[in-house]
Amino acid sequence: MVDSQQSKGYRVLSIFDRLMDGQGINKKQEALTHQVGEKTIQRDIDEIRTYLRKAKLNCRLQYVRTEKVYKLIQTDHNRLSKEQVLVIIKILIQSRAFSKTELNELLEKLISIVAADQDAQILLKEKSVEVDVQHNQSLVPFIWSISEAIQKNKVMTIDYVAERESISTEKMVKPLAVIFSAPYFYVLADNQDSPTVYRMDRIQHLREQDKTFQIGELHKDQPLIDVSEPIRFLYRGKYPQTVFNRFPTAKLVSQNDHAYLFEANVFGNDINRWFLSQGADLEILEPIELREEMIETIQAMQQNYHCI
């Protein structure tokens, strides 16, 4: 058997590439495939092991006796475990924040982290329950671009389609924070020292400007997440934990035998759907504009249920 430098180079790279892809290498099978002796394959494996050690990669080559193959074992403790990947996948799917295309790409890259693990099939099963969202906007690049602008205090121009509108409007904004409140991402921006919230999937285009800004007095001494107007409401249900599950930072102001008085800071108008979902168990008290909006919505719903 002639083992030329060219054939050896291809063979070693082939073995290394498959090891990096999470596959196991059986010495006898490799010898048959490449038509060389098992000792030759063993030398290839030893060379790869030496390279991994010298390159200080966060993995080592190990023989798995139960499978009779060599595999790469990750040694970096900072690497996500299969359990952690599973948790992240569940959160991503249940958030319903990303389009199916973008979510699928995120899930595939997460699953590839533990692709060599036999339990990766559990993750593939989770991936099958993904649900598409109504918008088809690619959010990941927007989230990164806006976060960069926030870091540099850069003014941004966004083309924004407001609710009940079909045409975008160009807006100059001073981004302060990216906020997630299921199922949407929001941009909290400073507009003439007045906090404004924009739903990210309604942004069609964005551009970072050369102009920088300073955070105004409005935001200097308070967390950015607390600049929204607090909502006060009565909860008459049996399980007040329901409120805390939806608003982890909500405050229980008072309670009696009939109702719990809550105060919470929220962003955007989409939270109205959750309030409506609580039916007669919940009553908005303040702000008065939101209370009136809820009344109008409920009255409009009544019109749909006349006696037939």
Side-chain angles (χ1 to χ4, degrees), residues 78-289:
N78 292 325
R79 176 177 174 266
L80 289 171
S81 67
K82 61 178 182 292
E83 294 87 356
Q84 292 169 326
V85 170
L86 176 60
V87 170
I88 295 172
I89 286 176
K90 283 183 174 293
I91 292 173
L92 284 173
I93 292 175
Q94 293 301 319
S95 72
R96 301 189 65 188
F98 301 98
S99 67
K100 190 169 185 177
T101 300
E102 198 163 39
L103 177 62
N104 188 61
E105 183 178 355
L106 289 169
L107 298 185
E108 286 184 356
K109 289 184 177 180
L110 280 169
I111 293 173
S112 69
I113 295 175
V114 292
D117 199 299
Q118 291 181 335
D119 294 329
Q121 294 300 319
I122 296 176
L123 306 181
L124 291 172
K125 185 177 180 181
E126 288 291 327
K127 180 176 176 293
S128 66
V129 302
E130 61 188 79
V131 180
D132 205 1
V133 293
Q134 291 185 354
H135 72 79
N136 195 32
Q137 186 63 278
S138 182
L139 297 181
V140 172
F142 279 8
I143 293 172
W144 182 260
S145 297
I146 294 171
S147 298
E148 279 189 319
I150 293 170
Q151 180 68 22
K152 296 181 291 187
N153 284 357
K154 284 294 188 74
V155 174
M156 300 194 79
T157 300
I158 63 173
D159 296 329
Y160 189 75
V161 180
E163 192 172 3
R164 300 187 181 90
E165 297 290 339
S166 58
I167 302 176
S168 64
T169 302
E170 184 178 277
K171 298 178 181 293
M172 192 82 72
V173 300
K174 302 172 184 176
L176 300 172
V178 173
I179 304 161
F180 177 69
S181 180
Y184 300 109
F185 279 91
Y186 297 90
V187 181
L188 176 62
D190 193 345
N191 183 8
Q192 298 179 349
D193 290 331
S194 176
T196 306
V197 177
Y198 300 97
R199 218 175 83 183
M200 198 172 294
D201 60 287
R202 295 184 181 278
I203 299 176
Q204 293 189 332
H205 304 93
L206 55 81
R207 297 167 294 283
E208 184 181 292
Q209 304 297 316
D210 291 333
K211 184 180 179 182
T212 59
F213 67 94
Q214 297 296 321
I215 297 179
E217 294 294 330
L218 175 66
H219 312 297
K220 277 188 176 180
D221 300 318
Q222 55 182 314
L224 293 178
I225 199 170
D226 289 331
V227 299
S228 64
E229 185 175 5
I231 294 178
R232 293 170 67 90
F233 56 91
L234 288 173
Y235 178 77
R236 299 187 177 89
K238 296 181 180 180
Y239 308 104
Q241 184 61 39
T242 301
V243 175
F244 289 116
N245 290 342
R246 187 61 184 84
F247 308 111
T249 60
K251 296 178 182 178
L252 178 58
V253 179
S254 64
Q255 69 180 86
N256 54 40
D257 294 338
H258 306 289
Y260 301 86
L261 176 60
F262 280 99
E263 183 175 294
N265 290 81
V266 299
F267 293 92
N269 297 323
D270 301 290
I271 199 62
N272 293 13
R273 297 178 184 177
W274 185 86
F275 287 135
L276 288 168
S277 72
Q278 301 306 303
D281 286 344
L282 192 142
E283 178 186 357
I284 299 293
L285 300 179
E286 298 175 352
I288 190 63
E289 293 83 5

Side-chain angles (χ1 to χ4, degrees), residues 41-51 53 61:
I41 299 298
Q42 185 62 57
R43 285 195 295 269
D44 294 341
I45 291 173
D46 291 340
E47 287 182 11
I48 292 174
R49 181 181 284 113
T50 300
Y51 169 75
R53 185 174 61 255
L61 194 55

Side-chain angles (χ1 to χ4, degrees), residues 1-39:
M1 298 180 184
V2 179
D3 188 21
S4 67
Q5 288 297 320
Q6 183 176 2
S7 62
K8 176 184 178 181
Y10 171 80
R11 187 178 64 246
V12 173
L13 285 174
S14 173
I15 294 173
F16 182 75
D17 184 56
R18 282 176 286 143
L19 284 169
M20 293 297 290
D21 195 40
Q23 299 180 37
I25 299 297
N26 179 277
K27 191 163 57 174
K28 181 178 292 187
Q29 183 60 49
E30 288 300 311
L32 291 173
T33 300
H34 296 283
Q35 298 183 347
V36 295
E38 290 187 32
K39 289 185 178 179

